[in-house]
Amino acid sequence: MFQAQQSFRDVIEAWKQTGRAFSIIPNFIGGYSAISARKLLEIGKSSMTEMTISEMPKKKAITFKVDATVNSVINMMLKHKTRKLLLENSNQFISDRIIIEKIATDFNYLKNINNFLDLPVVDFGFEYAKIITKDLNVNELSSIMFGMMHPYVVYKDQAISPWDICLTLLSEKMQEYA
């Protein structure tokens, strides 16, 4: 739980420590509000900056092969501290959310499923990352991502998630917000 006086920077630093980009914080009317990396895309959308994608901290896309198993994908996510992996040579991706949805729906919470971790992940279905070819401003990128069901963007060899927008918002170049 955060104090009412904590800064945006404090929240992001706490998220870095916990590995979870979600908090419940006190609000100005005496209640509490939820804040998440996805929610912070709204701040990115309204930012008044000339900062572009190429100026953001770089994070190379982590990829997996088409013959990967659930076990290998989950291990890669843990090893690289990421929730999304791109399918090699494509803009398709798998995420922890996709895996959990599959477990809950198609696999009926793993009832009568043997060797779940050995299943081919290609059977889970993938989402598509949006490919960006222009070096957009951070506010334009945030607007695009805000409108996506599963926000994930690829620019050149860089993968960008809502978490990357959060880290970018800490930049000195992002001091002025609308």
Side-chain angles (χ1 to χ4, degrees), residues 16-175:
K16 284 181 186 178
Q17 296 298 314
T18 64
R20 304 212 184 275
F22 179 83
S23 296
I24 303 293
I25 58 174
N27 61 32
F28 68 94
I29 60 171
Y32 295 90
S33 298
I35 186 169
S36 65
R38 183 177 178 86
K39 184 76 172 157
L40 290 180
L41 289 173
E42 290 185 58
I43 294 173
K45 278 179 18 175
S46 64
S47 65
M48 304 295 281
T49 183
E50 296 300 315
M51 187 176 184
T52 63
I53 297 171
S54 62
E55 297 173 276
M56 291 174 61
K58 303 289 184 265
K59 180 180 81 179
K60 187 164 176 58
I62 309 299
T63 62
F64 67 98
K65 295 184 185 300
V66 73
D67 62 348
T69 64
V70 173
N71 187 45
S72 65
V73 163
I74 290 172
N75 283 329
M76 285 181 73
M77 287 177 178
L78 293 171
K79 176 182 177 185
H80 295 284
K81 296 181 180 178
T82 186
R83 297 178 57 195
K84 295 176 181 161
L85 301 174
L86 279 172
L87 178 60
E88 192 173 66
N89 301 316
S90 82
N91 68 323
Q92 293 181 294
F93 70 90
I94 186 88
S95 69
D96 59 344
R97 191 171 298 226
I98 291 169
I99 293 170
I100 291 168
E101 286 173 4
K102 187 79 166 181
I103 290 169
T105 57
D106 296 356
F107 293 145
N108 194 23
Y109 301 97
L110 301 181
K111 292 178 183 170
N112 302 317
I113 299 289
N114 295 322
N115 304 319
F116 169 73
L117 294 175
D118 295 329
L119 294 175
V121 77
V122 73
D123 294 343
F124 279 55
F126 303 130
E127 292 292 331
Y128 289 89
K130 179 156 183 73
I131 297 176
I132 303 289
T133 56
K134 185 179 173 200
D135 194 14
L136 300 174
N137 287 344
V138 171
N139 58 349
E140 295 171 306
L141 176 62
S142 297
S143 291
I144 289 168
M145 292 176 75
F146 186 76
M148 297 172 72
M149 176 74 81
H150 298 278
Y152 202 46
V153 170
V154 175
Y155 174 72
K156 296 184 179 179
D157 65 344
Q158 183 178 357
I160 304 166
S161 69
W163 176 247
D164 299 303
I165 298 295
C166 291
L167 296 177
T168 299
L169 291 172
L170 293 177
S171 167
E172 290 181 21
K173 293 183 180 182
M174 298 286 295
Q175 293 301 311

